[in-house]
Amino acid sequence: MSTTSGIMTLSRFIVEQERIHPEATGEFSGLLSDMAIAAKIVARSVNKAGLIDVLGFTGDENIFGEKVKKLDVIANETIIHALDHGGHLCIMASEESNGLIPIPPYHKKGKYVLLFDPLDGSSNIDVNVSIGTIFSIFRRVSEGEDGTLEDCLQPGYKQVAAGYILYGSSTMFVYSTGNGVHGFTFDPSIGEFLLSHENMKIPERGNILSVNAGYINRWEDWMKRYFEYVTQEDPETNRPYSLRYIGSLVADFHRNLLYGGIFLYPPDRKNPKGKLRLLYEANPLAFLVEKAGGAATDGRQRILEKVPADLNERTPLIIGSKREVELVHEFIEGKR
Ligand code: AHG
Ligand code: MN
Ligand code: MN
């Protein structure tokens, strides 16, 4: 006999969370629900990727000089069109769009700001490896009708919510509004995300190391010493660490969130500011990891305290279990 009594859908969860805040107008819940719909539509394209003509490159480059994949564009447009008419947003910005994405004049403007990486891990699209969507939500600070650049360039600690959708062996929607990090798994048979990972906490330590070690000769000295340390044999401190690097930040992050560990994209000779984008990748994941009990820094300061100078700002990223981030800092500060 099957029962639905214990089932918590994402939609129901969003509404129940809203009840905790009596001042809520429902605008924010509407925004999250629109995001969930966008997630289902993108997931559908991702899941059919090998069957329909959506693999490969478009022939264009994005603002970061990277080759754009067809699915990057599909995901970008899907999210924009799922979110631009709900009346919840005043402005958007995306890794795959040049500049701000205004809400069309004929749609109502809301009080929230959405920043997103429509498809993270693009290089893995064509080979059926996990990819994702990352999003970050702020409350607007500007006055007036349309949102402005100022609304998008807020430090990460001001995020009111952040999350990601992981298109993996199953599709998951993970988010936080500051009150715990919750994960929902998509059940295709009923077309709903169901609560599967309530109140996730990242283990305090973990011996999984995610870094592109192919760049070892470009690394700074502290990074080489750290790598040397964690790859040495010492059962007492769980060394050597296990190297796990998918190349989709969101998938590497998700695994480390569940198992404990650390992800690094450090500065190197070729990319002195790292590669990852502060607004679209580092901030939302830093918000989530902190809410789950972990930490995220750029090697000097908390990611969430960085004040962005422009939409495309890059940042080094050290993110994961709290103790593991502290260990990296001991190398950076020359204590080891
Ligand atoms: P995107 O696909 O959105 O451009 O992001 C790719 C990012 C990130 O997902 C991943 O961790 C990193 O690039 C991999 O970079 P390297 O190939 O330099 O390791
Ligand atoms: Mn990305
Ligand atoms: Mn991307």
Side-chain angles (χ1 to χ4, degrees), residues 95 117 120-121 277 281:
E95 188 190 284
D117 177 356
D120 176 66
R277 277 73 34 150
E281 297 170 320

Side-chain angles (χ1 to χ4, degrees), residues 209-219 223 227 231 243-245 264-266:
L209 169 66
S210 311
V211 67
N212 189 336
Y215 301 148
I216 189 163
N217 289 311
R218 296 179 185 162
W219 287 344
M223 185 62 208
F227 191 72
T231 48
L243 207 56
R244 295 281 185 277
Y245 192 71
L264 297 104
Y265 207 114

Side-chain angles (χ1 to χ4, degrees), residues 28 41 51 61 78 115 187 200 202-203 205 213-214 222 234 250 263 266 319 333:
F28 185 66
I41 301 172
L51 302 172
E61 282 191 354
T78 301
L115 308 175
D187 181 339
M200 285 186 255
I202 186 167
R205 314 190 77 117
W222 64 263
D234 177 14
V250 64
F263 174 99
I319 189 166
E333 287 152 25

Side-chain angles (χ1 to χ4, degrees), residues 10 125 304 317-318 321:
L10 175 57
I125 293 174
L304 295 183
L317 181 62
I318 300 161
S321 295

